[in-house]
Amino acid sequence: MPSPFGTELPLIQAPMAGAHGSALALAVSNAGGLGSLPCAMLPPDALRRELDALRDGTSRPFNLNFFCHRPPAPDDARERAWRDALAPYYREAGLDPDAVPAAVSRVPFDARTAHLVEAYRPAVVSFHFGLPAPDLLAQVKAWGSVVIASATTLAEALWLEARGVDAVIAQGLEAGGHRGHFLSDDVTRQAGTFVLLPQLVRALRVPVVAAGGIADARGVAAAFALGASAVQVGTSYLLCAEATTHAAHRAALRSDVAAHTALTNLFSGGLARGIVNRLMRELGPVSPLAPPFPLAAAAIAPLRAYAERAGRGDFSPLWAGQNTSGCRETGAAALTRELAGA
């Protein structure tokens, strides 16, 4: 099946912030798929280094992924309540919660980022949590970039198509990491991949990319049978040699605990799917005390660092989809060809 993105294979490696950089994207692109670089957590200098690595490492298409969330206003009372909820863990770790500075770890696509990226003219740019302002979107399209964006419902997909995207990612409820919802955060309106996908294929004129719970070549073939023009796979790449998945996360993916994932807001404030760990069990996966995305992450960061130094993922976002059966310690190029049945 021809790819709508100018690649040999109609397969996208999902952008997974914190779990990989340009090395994984390059391996996938050079194998014929569409490698993706998660850019939302990269400060300008780091983004420029990664873009240079992509430009120097391949002549094939690659995808740059950005967030389009609206940064929330800080709320001191809510931040204090969140830190109070985490206080027992701080005491256990010998950390001072008042010494943790507030920090925003994820920033939306803006004019400064667009100016930096323009010189690289990426073949594909993808957006999560909606789209940037119309002038910024027009700027990206003027580069000649194919624009794709995530939808978790039919309403979101129609909204994206009406605003000129070239393809829509149907992100099913099984998908790991952050939900791409933006019109409503009501998860009961969201569906599994193989329910959502045919709805979008019937309703949209643009190509639809299937994403969520697809872990092997059989799942890829099933998505194509339901009308997908391409398939996006993330979780299966987390154990690849080129991924930067930390040791505790890798250990969880190799073990039986990977069979239990849940949507949680504890690690960033936004709903995201990950392997259930200590913090999720003890506080419950979703807490009304967690500040909105991405503000909850600041208070979690010291606890995460403390536990990871000891080889534990008690406070880490162990992002993974519901289907971890495709996770294997192999090279990303070989996995890409295997997924695509090449």
Side-chain angles (χ1 to χ4, degrees):
M1 177 179 292
S3 167
F5 310 113
T7 57
E8 176 188 344
L9 305 173
L11 187 82
I12 303 174
Q13 160 255 313
M16 299 175 287
H20 78 93
S22 57
L24 181 62
L26 282 170
V28 173
S29 287
N30 285 328
L34 183 65
S36 301
L37 179 72
C39 301
M41 295 177 66
L42 296 176
D45 288 347
L47 177 57
R48 186 176 290 106
R49 286 194 299 272
E50 291 284 57
L51 291 173
D52 286 343
L54 288 170
R55 182 183 58 191
D56 296 343
T58 188
S59 59
R60 298 187 177 190
F62 54 81
N63 165 42
L64 303 183
N65 177 256
F66 298 95
F67 286 177
C68 294
H69 61 286
R70 294 183 179 179
D75 183 327
D76 291 342
R78 191 165 183 180
E79 180 67 25
R80 172 50 56 191
W82 181 227
R83 297 194 183 207
D84 287 346
L86 298 175
Y89 302 112
Y90 273 84
R91 287 194 293 271
E92 176 187 316
L95 299 170
D96 179 4
D98 293 324
V100 181
V104 176
S105 58
R106 298 165 178 87
V107 295
F109 187 74
D110 57 16
R112 183 178 68 168
T113 304
H115 179 73
L116 190 161
V117 172
E118 183 172 10
Y120 297 87
R121 305 275 170 162
V124 181
V125 175
S126 62
F127 294 108
H128 212 52
F129 307 125
L131 292 170
D135 60 327
L136 288 175
L137 181 60
Q139 185 175 347
V140 173
K141 291 179 78 70
W143 304 339
S145 300
V146 172
V147 174
I148 58 179
S150 301
T152 63
T153 64
L154 176 58
E156 289 176 345
L158 291 170
W159 187 96
L160 292 169
E161 183 181 59
R163 284 154 182 81
V165 300
D166 299 299
V168 172
I169 300 167
Q171 189 193 30
L173 200 57
E174 306 95 328
H178 284 89
R179 311 298 305 139
H181 59 80
F182 56 94
L183 292 183
S184 170
D185 58 5
D186 182 355
V187 180
T188 66
R189 295 181 180 273
Q190 300 174 20
T193 303
F194 289 162
V195 174
L196 179 63
L197 172 61
Q199 293 179 28
L200 270 57
V201 170
R202 285 194 300 268
L204 302 184
R205 297 181 300 276
V206 298
V208 179
V209 179
I214 301 172
D216 55 27
R218 292 181 301 172
V220 171
F224 288 141
L226 289 174
S229 295
V231 175
Q232 179 169 283
V233 176
T235 300
S236 292
Y237 283 98
L238 286 171
L239 290 184
C240 285
E242 297 88 347
T244 59
T245 315
H246 63 80
H249 196 170
R250 286 179 180 268
L253 288 164
R254 295 189 198 102
S255 74
D256 292 341
V257 302
H260 187 192
T261 68
L263 294 177
T264 180
N265 70 340
L266 301 181
F267 301 103
S268 70
L271 279 180
R273 184 175 295 283
I275 298 170
V276 174
N277 62 1
R278 178 187 174 188
L279 189 67
M280 293 165 69
R281 288 192 300 271
E282 295 182 0
L283 293 188
V286 177
S287 171
L289 298 176
F293 179 86
L295 301 181
I300 292 290
L303 294 170
R304 174 182 178 177
Y306 158 77
E308 287 183 2
R309 283 194 297 270
R312 304 195 310 272
D314 293 348
F315 305 101
S316 301
L318 306 175
W319 301 143
Q322 287 184 326
N323 187 357
T324 59
S325 64
C327 291
R328 289 185 295 106
E329 291 171 292
T330 186
L335 178 59
T336 299
R337 291 190 290 266
E338 180 180 314
L339 287 166

